[in-house]
Amino acid sequence: MWMGYLFILPIVAGYLIFLFGPIVYAFVMSFTNWSLFGNTAYIGLDNYIYAMRDDPVFWDTAVNTVYFSAGLVPLNIVLSLLLAMLLKRKIWGIGLFRTAIFTPVVVSLVVWGIVWKFIFSTDGGLVNLLIRTFGGTEIPWLFSETWTMPTVIVVSALKGVGMNMVIFLAALHDVPKDYYEASKIDGASRWETFKSITLPMITPAVFMVTIITVIGSLKVFGQIYVMTGGGPGTSTYVMVFYIFKQAFRSYEFGYASALAFILFSIILVLTLIQWKLRKRWVHYEQ
């Protein structure tokens, strides 16, 4: 038996040293005023109280994070499901289209953000060039409090839609063809077939995609950092970006750790709620 423990020892040691250990240390740090250029002292729940009661930027950041998630999650899920239904057909060259849609998933997030930052550039960006060509007025996509967050949402949705599309494709291929043949004989329309057969049969995939996408949307950072830097003002401050700013710009690691565990608590609660509600709408084939 000891041989088995010996084989898993490197994995367990790596987990304890590089994952579990830093998490515990950060949790302890969240109860201190740990600063890179100051004395460290235990302050109890002061960091959490300050975030909830006295830090206006925190609440702006929380609202922005909810805004981003509320825009990204439905857009990503609907778009990936539509693409999956279109690309499940067995026609010549369909693999090329699947590859093209999935490619952004494996592209570096930084590269993706830089490319789209140039595309949405106010002066020479491709989008404004097209708008100007058709006689429209240029829009400051990344310098307007109105347009910046929707722009980042669209860019983020296009980045991750390929992964969810693959999950939906696998789920759609598992739907028995006999059900579709029966609905066709009964004279059901395409919408009725989708509503009564396709959607109920793929609810486990919808559930998994929803959880993954919600968690990912709450952890967004790279796109914000590369494309907007949190601006203009604090209009695109999201939780992870604010944590990064507090830790590596203001060097307030204690407060940043508290913010990180607040975010962790939010993600945990939302995930548990989704897991609890799954019994009402997720149908597993018997």
Side-chain angles (χ1 to χ4, degrees), residues 63-79 149-158 213-214 217-218 220 238:
V63 170
N64 291 338
T65 305
V66 172
Y67 179 15
F68 181 86
S69 298
L72 176 71
V73 173
L75 177 62
N76 189 300
I77 293 175
V78 171
L79 184 58
M149 187 63 83
T151 302
V152 177
I153 289 173
V154 171
V155 171
S156 301
L158 294 176
T213 308
V214 168
S217 67
L218 294 173
V220 62
V238 290

Side-chain angles (χ1 to χ4, degrees), residues 106-167:
V106 298
V107 172
S108 167
L109 184 59
V110 174
V111 173
W112 184 260
I114 291 173
V115 170
W116 282 97
K117 183 176 181 179
F118 281 110
I119 291 175
F120 282 103
S121 175
T122 304
D123 298 328
L126 178 61
V127 175
N128 274 340
L129 178 62
L130 293 174
I131 292 175
R132 189 167 60 248
T133 300
F134 290 99
T137 303
E138 295 180 349
I139 298 174
W141 299 101
L142 300 178
F143 298 95
S144 167
E145 293 187 0
T146 302
W147 291 103
T148 304
M149 187 63 83
T151 302
V152 177
I153 289 173
V154 171
V155 171
S156 301
L158 294 176
K159 177 73 170 68
V161 73
M163 179 60 72
N164 291 342
M165 180 199 70
V166 170
I167 296 173

